[in-house]
Coordinates of all heavy atoms in Angstrom, one line a residue:
V29 N -7.5 7.2 11.6 CA -8.7 6.5 11.3 C -8.5 5.1 10.7 O -9.1 4.2 11.1 CB -9.6 7.4 10.3 CG1 -10.9 6.7 9.9 CG2 -9.8 8.8 10.8
I30 N -7.5 5.0 9.8 CA -7.1 3.8 9.2 C -5.6 3.6 9.3 O -4.9 4.6 9.3 CB -7.6 3.6 7.8 CG1 -7.1 4.7 6.9 CG2 -9.1 3.6 7.7 CD1 -7.4 4.5 5.4
M37 N -8.5 -2.1 1.8 CA -9.3 -0.9 2.0 C -10.1 -0.6 0.7 O -11.0 0.3 0.8 CB -8.5 0.2 2.4 CG -7.9 0.2 3.8 SD -9.2 0.0 5.1 CE -10.2 1.4 4.8
P40 N -15.7 -2.3 -1.4 CA -16.8 -1.3 -1.4 C -17.2 -0.9 0.0 O -17.4 0.3 0.3 CB -17.9 -2.0 -2.1 CG -17.3 -2.9 -3.1 CD -16.0 -3.4 -2.3
K41 N -17.3 -1.8 1.0 CA -17.8 -1.5 2.3 C -16.7 -0.6 3.0 O -17.1 0.3 3.8 CB -18.0 -2.7 3.2 CG -16.8 -3.6 3.4 CD -17.2 -4.8 4.3 CE -16.0 -5.6 4.7 NZ -16.3 -6.8 5.5
N42 N -15.4 -0.8 2.8 CA -14.4 0.0 3.4 C -14.3 1.4 2.8 O -14.1 2.4 3.5 CB -13.1 -0.7 3.3 CG -13.0 -2.0 4.2 OD1 -13.7 -2.0 5.2 ND2 -12.3 -3.0 3.8
L43 N -14.5 1.5 1.5 CA -14.5 2.8 0.8 C -15.7 3.6 1.3 O -15.6 4.8 1.5 CB -14.5 2.6 -0.7 CG -13.3 2.1 -1.4 CD1 -13.5 2.0 -2.9 CD2 -12.1 3.0 -1.1
A44 N -16.8 2.9 1.5 CA -18.0 3.6 2.0 C -17.8 4.1 3.4 O -18.3 5.2 3.8 CB -19.2 2.6 2.0
R45 N -17.0 3.4 4.2 CA -16.8 3.8 5.6 C -15.9 5.1 5.6 O -16.2 6.0 6.3 CB -16.0 2.7 6.4 CG -15.6 3.1 7.8 CD -15.3 1.9 8.6 NE -14.2 1.2 8.1 CZ -12.9 1.4 8.6 NH1 -12.7 2.4 9.5 NH2 -11.9 0.7 8.1
I46 N -14.9 5.1 4.7 CA -14.1 6.4 4.6 C -14.9 7.5 4.0 O -14.8 8.7 4.5 CB -12.9 6.1 3.7 CG1 -12.0 5.0 4.2 CG2 -12.1 7.4 3.5 CD1 -10.8 4.6 3.3
A47 N -15.8 7.2 3.1 CA -16.6 8.3 2.5 C -17.6 8.9 3.5 O -18.0 10.1 3.3 CB -17.4 7.7 1.3
R48 N -17.9 8.2 4.6 CA -18.8 8.8 5.6 C -18.1 9.8 6.5 O -18.7 10.6 7.2 CB -19.4 7.7 6.4 CG -20.5 6.9 5.7 CD -21.3 6.1 6.6 NE -20.5 5.0 7.2 CZ -20.4 3.8 6.7 NH1 -21.0 3.5 5.5 NH2 -19.7 2.8 7.3
L49 N -16.7 9.8 6.4 CA -16.0 10.8 7.3 C -16.2 12.2 6.8 O -16.4 12.5 5.6 CB -14.5 10.5 7.2 CG -14.0 9.1 7.7 CD1 -12.5 8.9 7.4 CD2 -14.3 9.0 9.2

Side-chain angles (χ1 to χ4, degrees):
V29 180
I30 60 173
M37 287 304 302
K41 65 178 182 180
N42 292 329
L43 290 179
R45 178 162 65 91
I46 299 174
R48 287 194 292 269
L49 297 172

